[in-house]
Amino acid sequence: MTSTTQPSASGARQAHPDHLGHVIFITAAAAMGGFLFGYDSSVINGAVEAIRGRYDIGSGTLAQVIAVALIGCAIGAATAGRIADRIGRIRCMQIAAGLFTVSAVGSALPFALWDLAFWRVVGGFAIGMASVIGPAYIAEVAPAAYRGRLGAFQQAAIVIGIAVSQLVNWAILNLADGDQRGEIAGLEAWQWMLGVMVVPAVLYGLLSFAIPESPRFLISVGRKDRAREVLAEVEGHSVDLDARVAEIETAMRREHKSTFKDLFGGRFALLPIVWVGIGLSVFQQLVGINVAFYYSATLWQSVGVDPSGSFFYSFTTSIINIIGTVIAMVLVDRVGRKPLALVGSAGMAVSLAFEAWAFSADLVDGKLPGTQGVVALIAAHAFVLFFALSWGVVVWVFLGEMFPNRIRAAALGVAASAQWLANWLITASFPSLADWNLSGTYVIYTVFAVLSIPFVLKYVKETKGKALEEMG
């Protein structure tokens, strides 16, 4: 991939919005899709054992019910780019919000296990759409000088969604006297946990009516006057708006609507930059990060931590996740995306190795020995911290920035789809792998963390400070 390094004639690279708070609001509203993802990922953590008991199912079937939502995510991510190019980014967000609202109600009131699985797929499709539209929209409206920090809002929303869901689960569990299947107003506690997702879904839909359409989409459908207004809102009046529109038009004239066919350099060979995007997405998941969010309560209970303690450790992990994300948001535009990714890979590899060692110990009275127990807890929190301050943020930023304009929507859809499939693989396989050998499972995750280092060094290009029109 080649890129132009000449400064933009419109001054886009030095653009500073007149009202930064307004741009932050727009970004935060778009990132609510990430909040839904985080909330859904973690809320199921509180319902896993209740679903197992309610339907009397084993680990394999349980894992499929938990992970099936990720299949919907992959389909939603793969199709969202083309939908957004046809009807706009905002309409795409509204569709996702509507589907997720319906899914939350259905998941809370299932008739049977297949019914619950179906509604999780519907919700997954909505989250997959939002996972693509959020980063793409933010990259298209954010000024270049702020794009890394604003792009990090997607991951910030995810980790806040995780933390909020843990608090809500804890509150509902207390109302049910600590029983995940305890009744509250005629429904079991776990049903309330899933049903409360209606609230952020509706909020996401309402916020989508309060933010402007992407200027690039507006120009693509001939609404140049409105595009100038939006550019003035997000990049400031100091930018030459006519030149800015012309820049975007010039970039768009060199391209056509991106399709999956455009991602191939030969008959069967994907373009190298697409493979890099897929690699980033897959490595982000193969280190096992979502085990910490889908199964943490079950994991800690399996090594002797009582249920209330397991919920507490799940919550403290989510707080560490937020802290790491804030660190990344502060540093991503200062030190760059690539250095953060490398630091995170090294830190995750060391932390995962310590977890693998701790879990290799034989249980004593159903618990890990003292030293191994302490090491496991510290290493688990360190792993989440290093992930959050690096790969959790920079992958979303990279995916929103790294692709040339002519393939951005389709390439982002493929990369995000690969991320969901890798997420599904880890989520569906963990219960069976843990039953086989918990320490060995963490050795596998350690290997992927180590392999991510040469991948970043050799194949990933820095995108810090470049305008989107400069990307190849």
Side-chain angles (χ1 to χ4, degrees):
M1 182 182 75
T2 59
S3 63
T4 303
T5 57
Q6 295 174 352
S8 165
S10 66
R13 291 183 66 174
Q14 293 78 37
H16 292 279
D18 298 329
H19 302 287
L20 183 58
H22 179 61
V23 178
I24 291 173
F25 169 77
I26 291 172
T27 303
M32 270 298 296
F35 182 94
L36 291 179
F37 167 40
Y39 197 100
D40 181 70
S41 297
S42 192
V43 75
I44 197 69
N45 187 15
V48 169
E49 294 306 313
I51 292 171
R52 186 199 299 270
R54 169 76 173 265
Y55 298 105
D56 191 25
I57 53 178
S59 294
T61 303
L62 177 66
Q64 294 305 319
V65 173
I66 302 306
V68 72
L70 301 172
I71 300 299
C73 289
I75 297 170
T79 57
R82 297 189 71 180
I83 294 173
D85 281 344
R86 287 178 178 272
I87 66 174
R89 282 60 166 150
I90 300 300
R91 289 287 179 266
C92 218
M93 292 179 196
Q94 292 163 355
I95 291 171
L99 288 174
F100 198 83
T101 300
V102 172
S103 165
V105 174
S107 297
L109 303 171
F111 299 106
L113 189 64
W114 68 265
D115 184 33
L116 174 61
F118 171 76
W119 289 117
R120 284 188 55 73
V121 172
V122 173
F125 184 87
I127 292 173
M129 290 180 67
S131 74
V132 170
I133 299 308
Y137 174 86
I138 292 170
E140 290 178 350
V141 300
Y146 297 93
R147 199 173 57 238
R149 280 164 286 183
L150 294 176
F153 272 49
Q154 175 79 3
Q155 181 63 17
I158 291 173
V159 299
I160 291 171
I162 290 169
V164 170
S165 73
Q166 296 288 357
L167 282 176
V168 171
N169 280 0
W170 177 81
I172 292 173
L173 197 66
N174 280 334
L175 289 174
D177 297 322
D179 183 1
Q180 293 177 25
R181 296 196 60 193
E183 283 201 5
I184 304 172
L187 296 177
E188 294 184 4
W190 69 273
Q191 293 177 275
W192 283 105
M193 292 177 186
L194 300 184
V196 169
M197 291 190 292
V198 166
V199 176
V202 170
L203 180 59
Y204 180 43
L206 292 175
L207 286 172
S208 71
F209 286 97
I211 60 178
E213 182 54 87
S214 157
R216 285 171 177 78
F217 175 75
L218 291 170
I219 291 171
S220 74
V221 295
R223 299 177 60 190
K224 296 181 185 178
D225 289 341
R226 177 56 182 153
R228 287 188 188 90
E229 293 175 5
V230 176
L231 287 167
E233 283 183 50
V234 299
E235 295 189 358
H237 289 84
S238 62
V239 173
D240 185 334
L241 297 176
D242 289 332
R244 190 75 181 96
V245 170
E247 279 179 0
I248 296 173
E249 280 189 297
T250 298
M252 293 176 67
R253 276 198 298 270
R254 294 198 301 263
E255 63 187 70
H256 56 278
K257 294 292 184 182
S258 58
T259 67
F260 296 130
K261 183 179 178 181
D262 298 322
L263 305 183
F264 291 84
R267 180 169 293 184
F268 301 109
L270 285 171
L271 293 169
I273 190 63
V274 179
W275 279 117
V276 174
I278 291 172
L280 284 167
S281 291
V282 169
F283 272 118
Q284 188 198 52
Q285 296 301 315
L286 293 185
V287 296
I289 186 60
N290 278 306
V291 167
F293 302 131
Y294 287 98
Y295 297 114
S296 60
T298 300
L299 172 65
W300 293 122
Q301 288 175 44
S302 74
V303 293
V305 178
D306 62 77
S308 62
S310 70
F311 269 76
F312 174 74
Y313 293 137
S314 295
F315 175 68
T316 57
T317 298
S318 69
I319 297 302
I320 293 293
N321 201 11
I322 292 175
I323 293 171
T325 302
V326 171
I327 293 171
M329 292 176 71
V330 171
L331 296 180
V332 68
D333 279 325
R334 296 183 181 180
V335 304
R337 291 77 162 127
K338 191 169 178 176
L340 280 182
L342 291 170
V343 169
S345 292
M348 288 190 295
V350 173
S351 302
L352 287 166
F354 273 110
E355 282 194 83
W357 172 79
F359 289 135
S360 69
D362 293 329
L363 301 183
V364 179
D365 297 326
K367 298 181 179 181
L368 284 174
T371 301
Q372 283 84 353
V374 172
V375 169
L377 284 171
I378 294 174
H381 285 74
F383 166 60
V384 171
L385 176 65
F386 278 109
F387 176 85
L389 64 80
S390 61
W391 283 75
V393 167
V394 299
V395 169
W396 291 111
V397 176
F398 268 130
L399 293 182
E401 295 178 336
M402 65 187 289
F403 301 114
N405 276 344
R406 67 183 180 83
I407 65 167
R408 180 170 292 116
L412 182 52
V414 167
S417 182
Q419 185 174 129
W420 292 117
L421 289 173
N423 190 340
W424 170 82
L425 177 64
I426 293 298
T427 304
S429 64
F430 177 75
S432 297
L433 285 173
D435 288 345
W436 161 68
N437 189 316
L438 184 58
S439 177
T441 302
Y442 274 84
V443 169
I444 293 171
Y445 301 155
T446 303
V447 169
F448 283 116
V450 171
L451 290 176
S452 70
I453 296 173
F455 173 79
V456 171
L457 285 171
K458 185 171 182 179
Y459 296 111
V460 178
K461 309 294 185 184
E462 183 61 76
T463 58
K464 172 187 171 185
K466 294 183 180 179
L468 294 184
E469 287 69 37
E470 296 179 65
M471 302 299 175

